[in-house]
Amino acid sequence: MEWRERASCQAEDPDLFFPVGNIGSGPTLIQTDEAKAVCRRCPVREQCLAWALDAGPMDGIWGGTTEQERQAMTRRPVPASPGRVTP
Ligand code: SF4
């Protein structure tokens, strides 16, 4: 994963991306916005997001997305059952 060497977040406080001290409530909106601002100017954002989506559920901001946003991106529609008539 050599893309990590070019990550903009390397020069930032990790607590911005993985907040501590607020277990159970997740990152604050301000922390999330600040982390996403760093991601928007990151040259490896696409690689980071693809890696995070492949890795599955994970805490923190990756590729400019929250865990909940990544979950929404990977949700697939439930296929109709074979015996069911659909309009
Ligand atoms: S997209 Fe965000 S979390 Fe991913 S490497 Fe870049 S700055 Fe870090």
Side-chain angles (χ1 to χ4, degrees), residues 3 7-9 17 35 38-39 42 44-45 48 61-64:
W3 56 266
S8 296
C9 53
F17 296 82
V38 173
C39 294
C42 178
V44 294
R45 182 179 175 185
C48 177
I61 305 294
W62 292 88

Side-chain angles (χ1 to χ4, degrees), residues 1 5 9 22 24 27 36 41 49 52 57 60 70-71 82:
M1 292 193 306
E5 296 169 12
C9 53
N22 55 0
K36 285 183 171 185
R41 58 180 185 268
L49 179 57
R70 290 190 300 277
Q71 285 175 347

